[in-house]
Structure formats: C-alpha cells, structure tokens
Amino acid sequence: MIENNIDLPIGILPVGTVNDFAYYFALPTEVNAALDIALGKHFTYADVGVCNGKHFINVTALGNVVDVSQKTDPNLKNALGIFSYYLMSVSQMVNLRPLPVKLITPEETYEEEMFFMVVMNGKSAGGLKTLSPDSEINDGKMDVILFRETPIMNVLPLIIEFAQGKHLYNKHVLYFQTSQLRIESPVEISTDVDGEKGTALPLDFSILHKRLRIISADTGIGEIN
C-alpha cells in the first residue's frame, strides 16, 4: 500500500499466532466481533517504521533470539500458538553471547554490548505485552529497547520487572525514543522485521508519521467519509 501510495482504511482480523498489532488497538479475538469493528467507520492513525527501505508496523528485532520465530516449526506454531515461541526461546538460551553494537541517533550515540534489542512501533512482540509499555503507535517516534549483558544474579530481578512492565529503567536496559536511528556492528547479527528475516547490518531506521488508518472501536482522531 505504501509503495503504491494507496491510502485506504485497514480493518484487522486478529487470527494470527500472537496478534501483537491487533492487541495495541484492543481488538476482540472473536472473529465476528472483530469483523463488526472492521466494517465500522471509526479509525485511528498509525505510524509505519522503515528499516533499510523495508516497511514495518510493529517491531524490528536484533540479537541472539530473533531467529526464534524463523526457526519455529509451522506445525508447532499451529498446535501450541504463542507457547511454541517460548519453548524455542528456552532452547536457544545456551547460545546467548554479548554482541557489540553502535546506535547512532540525531540526539546521541551509544556503544553497547547487548544480548537482544528491539525497535518498537507497537507495544508488544511475540505476545510479550509488557515489552514496550510506553510506546504510542502514532507519536512519530520509535521506542528502542536494548537488553545489555547482564550478570546471572541480576537476571531474575530483571525478569520480575519485565513481567510488571517496569524494566525500561533498569540499569541493564537501555531505553530511548527517536525518529531516526542507525545500528552498526563489527559482527554479524541476526535481524527480524515483523516476524520475517531482516537484512544484514548496518540498519537505517526512519518513521512515516500517521501513514496508515486503522479501523478501530475507538473514535480515535478522525472518521472515514
């Protein structure tokens, strides 16, 4: 739609594995109820992220565990849904190692050793609803969350804070918002864009502010004619 300059309202039916994008708009999981909303006239604007020229609506992820969704067997996903991701994540924990990255924004430059990071447009990814609690999908900003190399004794407290949505200001987490971002690294790092395999680093990010109209139960900030 963006590549062809199509501007039409979009209705969402949350029938995927985890439905992160639909979760942001508080859409019901019952199909008939979601269909009633999709046929309605109220919409909310949504930003669209751009990563190396590829558009994404929810998240771009980098690091040791981003290939979880790519490696998860489709039959397992169909049978277990979101729990299939958790099972695969546990199996990949032994492969965790810190990865050097350089994050460049118009405001500041960061050099970090990270296990995992996400560039969020929405609030959740992989069904983790507390991942980016401060995200707003139409604020013209991306929420960058980087999980630093963490001593084993600090992992459990971080997990507890994560479950409560209080992890953003933990000393082992880097969090900031920006409208432009470049990520570089001297090593190869796996990337994932909205659940699909992403390109190699470096990655250049920008944001298309209020580019999509999403039909929602809320009146939002406009109404379709």
Side-chain angles (χ1 to χ4, degrees):
M1 290 177 67
I2 294 172
E3 290 175 355
N4 291 282
N5 198 31
I6 296 172
D7 181 20
L8 292 172
I10 300 172
I12 300 174
L13 298 181
V15 293
T17 304
V18 292
N19 303 304
D20 289 305
F21 195 59
Y23 165 73
Y24 182 91
F25 297 99
L27 294 174
T29 56
E30 201 279 317
V31 173
N32 287 329
L35 186 59
D36 287 340
I37 293 174
L39 295 174
K41 294 185 177 181
H42 299 298
F43 67 86
T44 301
Y45 285 102
D47 297 339
V48 175
V50 184
C51 175
N52 284 8
K54 184 174 182 178
H55 301 102
F56 67 96
I57 56 173
N58 194 55
V59 59
T60 293
L62 303 86
N64 294 289
V65 297
V66 300
D67 56 354
V68 166
S69 63
Q70 298 165 10
K71 290 182 177 180
T72 303
D73 186 279
N75 294 322
L76 188 63
K77 286 168 61 176
N78 290 336
L80 299 179
I82 187 174
F83 294 104
S84 63
Y85 292 133
Y86 297 156
L87 289 173
M88 183 62 74
S89 296
V90 171
S91 70
Q92 294 295 311
M93 288 185 69
V94 295
N95 299 320
L96 285 178
R97 69 186 192 282
L99 301 169
V101 291
K102 184 177 183 178
L103 313 181
I104 304 168
T105 77
E107 300 81 21
E108 193 168 347
T109 296
Y110 308 86
E111 294 194 34
E112 299 283 345
E113 295 282 332
M114 66 102 174
F115 280 146
F116 175 68
M117 70 173 292
V118 289
V119 180
M120 299 291 300
N121 188 38
K123 286 183 179 291
S124 68
L128 299 173
K129 293 179 170 57
T130 60
L131 180 56
S132 188
D134 291 349
S135 288
E136 297 293 341
I137 213 161
N138 51 18
D139 61 357
K141 300 286 186 180
M142 296 168 284
D143 290 66
V144 181
I145 304 171
L146 180 146
F147 292 87
R148 296 179 168 116
E149 181 181 8
T150 306
I152 189 66
M153 68 183 68
N154 297 116
V155 171
L156 181 57
L158 179 57
I159 291 174
I160 293 173
E161 289 186 3
F162 183 92
Q164 298 172 339
K166 299 178 179 179
H167 58 287
L168 296 184
Y169 303 101
N170 185 291
K171 66 180 180 180
H172 299 296
V173 175
L174 171 66
Y175 168 68
F176 62 89
Q177 294 179 315
T178 187
S179 59
Q180 287 184 287
L181 172 67
R182 180 178 176 86
I183 303 177
E184 301 174 350
S185 178
V187 301
E188 183 177 344
I189 298 178
S190 298
T191 67
D192 182 289
V193 181
D194 273 344
E196 302 294 335
K197 187 175 182 179
T199 60
L201 272 64
L203 300 181
D204 288 295
F205 292 85
S206 59
I207 197 86
L208 302 178
H209 188 33
K210 295 183 177 180
R211 180 57 182 83
L212 297 178
R213 289 182 289 161
I214 308 298
I215 302 174
S216 63
D218 195 341
T219 56
I221 56 175
E223 185 167 313
I224 302 165
N225 294 321

